[in-house]
Amino acid sequence: MNSNERNDLMGLAEVPVGGRVYVTSIRGSGSVRGRIMAMGLVPGTAVEVLRRAPMGDPLEISVKGYNLSLRAVEASMVIVSLDPPRRPDAGKSGE
């Protein structure tokens, strides 16, 4: 990560087992990026890291009610945050 990025952002591959994070963006382009997003890893989605293979690759995550295995290289394309996304209307009271 470069110095312009916030400290709480990391690649999904860096999240420890048991960690719950939120997708902020997907790096890259092309078919791999499209497949990752088609599997439900879109900005704002909550993800929990369930386990890793003995050598660390692949990792198994829980996303939108199902389990998914990703290679570490794919998981590193998914940028996540420890903080849930902020809703633009948060704090406004309905009338």
Side-chain angles (χ1 to χ4, degrees), residues 2-86:
N2 65 40
S3 60
N4 294 332
E5 293 177 319
R6 293 182 9 207
N7 290 333
D8 66 340
L9 296 181
M10 66 187 97
L12 181 57
E14 300 173 58
V15 177
V17 171
R20 184 174 177 85
V21 293
Y22 300 88
V23 177
T24 61
S25 62
I26 310 296
R27 286 190 179 154
S29 61
S31 62
V32 174
R33 182 177 189 269
R35 283 194 300 266
I36 289 171
M37 293 180 75
M39 291 185 276
L41 293 166
V42 295
T45 303
V47 177
E48 181 179 0
V49 177
L50 300 175
R51 64 182 142 223
R52 293 182 188 280
M55 298 299 284
D57 192 18
L59 63 130
E60 183 177 1
I61 62 172
S62 175
V63 58
K64 295 188 175 185
Y66 70 96
N67 293 2
L68 175 66
S69 293
L70 289 175
R71 295 178 300 179
V73 68
E74 294 165 336
S76 67
M77 295 174 67
V78 180
I79 307 304
V80 297
S81 172
L82 298 174
D83 300 320
R86 299 178 112 188

